[in-house]
Amino acid sequence: VAKILYDEVPRDADPMGPKNKLVVASGVLTGTFVGAGSKCGFGAISPATNSHADSSVGGHIGPELKFAGYDLIIFDDISPEPVFLFIEDDKVELRSAKHLWGKGSIDTEKQLKEELGEDFEIATIGPAGENGVVFACITHDFGRNAGRCGVGAVMGSKKIKAIAIKGTKSFPIYDLKSLTKQTEAIIQRTKPHPNMAPWQKYGTALFVGWSNDQASFPTRNFQSSYYDQWQTIDGERLVEECRVIDKACFGCWMNCGKYSRAKTRHGDVYIEGPEYETIALIGGSCAMTSIHDVTFANYLCDNLGMDTESGGSVVAFAMECYEKGIITKDDLDGHELRWGNIDDFEFIINKIAYQQGIGKVLAKGTKGAAEILGKDSIKFAMQQKGLESSGYESRWAPSMLLSFMTSDIGAHHNRSWSITVDLELGRDEIKGKAPVVVYLQHIRPIYDTLSICRLFWGELDVMPEEYVESLNYVTGWHTTEDELLKTSEKIWNLTRAHFLKRNGGPGRIHDIPPARYYEEPILDGPAKGKVLSLEKINAMLDEYYEARGWDKNGNPTEELLLDLGMKAVVDDLKEINLLGKPLPDGIPKVRGQKLKPKAM
């Protein structure tokens, strides 16, 4: 996906224009019975970050694409009228979606299943994607989402309402006998794993209490890292009050998904979730005190078609702006934006989805909104490169902050979840963490590239070398873990170069976090008073760039890119004068690959 976007989308292309591409890609292991081989990736130039974006979704649509006989789909240009893509094996059609345009994502999926049949796997957008909200998502399987980076807005800009796939084909496995034997052994080994039972019971919501205990739970738009009402919205409360049944993605025996019911003033609503990130960024960051309210907010975002991480963060940002008088009742048609108020949340999230009034400003995300609102609001727009931060407050977790700062797509935890490194090496320590972050930024994206869920690695100790074996059994290749890590490093440098080509440089200016992290001590809780100085933040970046083989400006060097076989990228960065200066000691030979820490 990264190579297609880098090579085929012009540097000056409008993310919402005809020259952007939307790439839908399954991976090599998608649709096999390798554990959790369920993922499907959506890539585009993001309207939020103006650079490479990719977001993956589990469920069943990725395998269904493979069963229909395809590895990827590329959408180009813009349809003159709303359409949906219909695929049934060799039958591929763009069909009218005029009768679906304007409907919610969940509602659209339900209607298409009624029209086409339950056997179709469907991905949809909602009004947020249709109306160009820069954090609009793509929804599948009634609550699974390709949530990050605004891929739903790109899909909407192309007038594509949905993708519906039914496949009945098989595809060859090079060594089926060995793959079967390996998978059966992994199943038997992981069933009694001590992490299996709690993950099956609570899903990712089990992290709420842990995160709060570690003083990393974002509260009131990251003003604090500890929420004294966390037990009203944690996994225990979710399972006791909202859970209807457990759900699993294709090829997964963990069943961590929770299909839930929320009681609301409108009646009961049903949705898969909320996951930890939703609870953190809607529950904690917006200061909700009811798991039903969080679940309802999850439903609202999903049906409107917007990312719950960015959506929660944007509403929390707006609530703080209201608290500080930057947004007023006049801006809200006489309404209010109070912490923890679900009616206020519902009011403003609808304004955003339909780009009405102040919602048109907030639809640009926290960075874009802050640039319009002014009054120093950019200091508490909790984002990086235009993408709102995932659900970990990081003033007392330097490696986690470094992960957010340097992530190629913006502040997203899936690129490097390194908070355990802070616990192991010391939470006030900044030295020695950058090489581990680099390693994680190499190993974790491999799972996205292969299109498998990384939880089996992070929680059930299915090791990377086992996935390499699986890959070779499926394909007949003879690849190694080191070769995959080098491929991941190439992708990382490609997406860095892509960001610099589209946004200018030097790279360091894009890696500095919001001022809240280095100007405002945490207000309360176990981390009260903790803050990182700008000097320490720059010292972490120095160590990170050194570990990556980039120069002090955060730009990839010619020597590194040639070592990775990326001569064309050297030429591109030379053309815009953003090729890194040569390093005095040359590029490091080991760039984080050999550390292999135990981290999610």
Side-chain angles (χ1 to χ4, degrees):
V1 173
K3 188 77 164 61
I4 292 169
L5 295 174
Y6 187 90
D7 288 346
E8 298 186 15
V9 179
R11 174 184 167 192
D12 59 350
D14 180 354
M16 306 289 273
K19 293 183 180 180
N20 195 5
K21 295 182 186 292
L22 178 66
V23 184
V24 186
S26 59
V28 182
L29 298 182
T30 305
T32 68
F33 49 80
V34 173
S38 64
K39 293 285 190 174
C40 184
F42 291 81
I45 302 302
S46 167
T49 68
N50 189 41
S51 189
H52 168 89
D54 58 79
S55 189
S56 67
V57 64
H60 303 269
I61 197 165
E64 203 71 20
L65 181 63
K66 293 287 283 288
F67 300 152
Y70 308 97
D71 291 315
L72 58 84
I73 304 163
I74 301 176
F75 293 100
D76 200 1
D77 215 329
I78 293 175
S79 171
E81 62 180 36
V83 294
F84 75 92
L85 177 64
F86 173 94
I87 299 176
E88 186 172 11
D89 292 331
D90 296 334
K91 187 176 184 179
V92 180
E93 300 174 345
L94 285 174
R95 296 184 173 183
S96 176
K98 288 181 179 179
H99 65 301
L100 301 169
W101 202 253
K103 292 182 180 293
S105 294
I106 305 298
D107 301 331
T108 298
E109 183 169 4
K110 182 175 183 293
Q111 183 167 338
L112 279 176
K113 280 186 173 286
E114 290 171 351
E115 292 178 7
L116 304 176
E118 285 288 337
D119 290 341
F120 277 82
E121 297 299 338
I122 296 166
T124 65
I125 62 167
E130 296 172 6
N131 296 321
V133 175
V134 303
F135 47 93
C137 68
I138 298 170
T139 300
H140 162 61
D141 201 20
F142 302 101
R144 292 279 173 181
N145 296 282
R148 309 250 59 197
C149 303
V151 290
V154 177
M155 188 163 160
S157 74
K158 297 187 176 301
K159 294 291 192 293
I160 302 162
K161 181 61 177 179
I163 302 168
I165 307 173
K166 180 181 177 181
T168 62
K169 300 178 183 181
S170 62
F171 54 90
I173 301 296
Y174 177 78
D175 188 347
L176 183 60
K177 183 177 179 180
S178 295
L179 183 66
T180 301
K181 182 179 178 181
Q182 182 200 41
T183 303
E184 287 178 343
I186 290 172
I187 291 171
Q188 295 307 316
R189 190 182 84 222
T190 54
K191 282 197 301 185
H193 193 287
N195 287 345
M196 180 64 86
W199 270 96
Q200 288 182 326
K201 183 175 182 180
Y202 300 111
T204 61
L206 69 87
F207 265 98
V208 173
W210 181 90
S211 180
N212 202 59
D213 287 344
Q214 303 306 323
S216 61
F217 194 65
T219 304
R220 291 181 173 81
N221 194 35
F222 290 73
Q223 293 182 64
S224 183
S225 61
Y226 181 84
Y227 188 39
D228 58 7
Q229 298 291 312
W230 69 273
Q231 288 179 305
T232 66
I233 57 172
D234 72 340
E236 192 77 43
R237 199 62 63 112
L238 173 66
V239 169
E240 287 181 359
E241 297 188 20
C242 297
R243 173 192 168 277
V244 176
I245 196 169
D246 297 337
K247 280 184 65 181
C249 296
F250 177 91
C252 180
W253 51 94
M254 185 183 278
N255 297 353
C256 72
K258 307 298 154 206
Y259 192 67
S260 303
R261 176 182 61 223
K263 298 182 184 300
T264 81
R265 62 187 177 89
H266 307 288
D268 292 352
V269 298
Y270 295 82
I271 194 71
E272 182 174 348
E275 302 279 353
Y276 167 78
E277 295 293 337
T278 303
I279 296 174
L281 293 163
I282 290 177
S285 205
C286 295
M288 298 290 182
T289 57
S290 164
I291 192 62
H292 289 275
D293 288 349
V294 177
T295 305
F296 179 45
N298 190 160
Y299 168 82
L300 289 171
C301 287
D302 281 8
N303 201 35
L304 289 168
M306 65 180 76
D307 176 25
T308 56
E309 292 183 57
S310 286
S313 287
V314 168
V315 174
F317 168 79
M319 286 176 170
E320 184 170 353
C321 285
Y322 181 75
E323 182 181 57
K324 288 179 161 62
I326 298 171
I327 293 175
T328 68
K329 278 188 177 183
D330 289 341
D331 300 314
L332 300 167
D333 303 328
H335 211 88
E336 294 186 85
L337 270 179
R338 297 158 290 185
W339 296 113
N341 190 294
I342 187 61
D343 293 338
D344 292 356
F345 185 99
E346 182 179 6
F347 168 82
I348 197 64
I349 211 76
N350 275 286
K351 288 287 189 184
I352 293 169
Y354 293 99
Q355 296 238 25
Q356 297 170 344
I358 192 66
K360 189 172 184 179
V361 175
L362 298 172
K364 299 181 182 299
T366 54
K367 182 174 183 284
E371 289 170 349
I372 295 171
L373 294 170
K375 300 181 181 178
D376 283 338
S377 59
I378 192 66
K379 292 185 176 182
F380 56 87
M382 305 308 289
Q383 51 75 39
Q384 195 76 43
K385 301 180 178 72
L387 183 71
E388 284 71 30
S389 176
S390 296
Y392 299 93
E393 209 300 315
S394 304
R395 276 169 284 186
W396 200 29
S399 75
M400 193 68 239
L401 179 59
L402 183 63
S403 295
F404 286 150
M405 288 158 54
T406 58
S407 174
D408 59 337
I409 60 171
H412 190 19
H413 70 287
N414 94 317
R415 292 302 208 247
S416 170
W417 192 86
S418 60
I419 194 167
T420 53
V421 178
D422 292 306
L423 301 179
E424 292 168 7
L425 300 182
R427 302 196 63 169
D428 294 311
E429 181 59 63
I430 63 168
K431 292 183 179 179
K433 294 179 176 180
V436 187
V437 170
V438 171
Y439 168 75
L440 289 173
Q441 289 174 341
H442 290 165
I443 192 68
R444 287 174 65 90
I446 286 175
Y447 294 94
D448 286 337
T449 301
L450 299 176
S451 289
I452 53 178
C453 178
R454 69 178 59 83
L455 287 180
F456 276 31
W457 165 56
E459 300 305 322
L460 301 179
D461 298 320
V462 180
M463 302 310 293
E465 52 266 29
E466 294 180 279
Y467 285 109
V468 175
E469 289 179 358
S470 299
L471 179 63
N472 290 332
Y473 291 147
V474 169
T475 62
W477 298 345
H478 301 283
T479 194
T480 65
E481 186 179 347
D482 285 344
E483 287 173 340
L484 287 183
L485 285 165
K486 187 168 184 178
T487 298
S488 191
E489 184 180 9
K490 289 177 70 173
I491 294 171
W492 197 271
N493 279 275
L494 187 68
T495 56
R496 180 68 166 196
H498 203 169
F499 189 91
L500 294 175
K501 281 178 64 179
R502 291 190 62 89
N503 293 283
R508 184 184 288 263
I509 64 172
H510 301 293
D511 293 335
I512 299 296
R516 170 155 285 165
Y517 283 112
Y518 54 85
E519 289 185 357
E520 299 180 25
I522 293 173
L523 292 178
D524 52 27
K528 182 178 181 180
K530 296 293 182 182
V531 67
L532 281 164
S533 68
L534 193 55
E535 181 182 11
K536 287 185 176 180
I537 285 170
N538 276 303
M540 287 197 296
L541 287 175
D542 288 342
E543 186 182 38
Y544 176 86
Y545 297 151
E546 182 179 357
R548 275 227 165 267
W550 297 349
D551 73 1
K552 291 283 188 182
N553 291 318
N555 299 337
T557 64
E558 181 172 3
E559 187 178 1
L560 170 70
L561 294 172
L562 292 178
D563 183 62
L564 293 171
M566 302 173 72
K567 174 66 166 59
V569 177
V570 171
D571 296 339
D572 289 343
L573 291 182
K574 276 184 178 178
E575 184 180 342
I576 58 174
N577 199 30
L578 285 174
L579 187 64
K581 297 177 182 178
L583 303 179
D585 301 321
I587 57 169
K589 299 303 179 185
V590 178
R591 297 183 285 271
Q593 294 97 319
K594 299 292 177 73
L595 296 176
K596 299 185 182 180
K598 175 68 179 87
M600 181 177 172

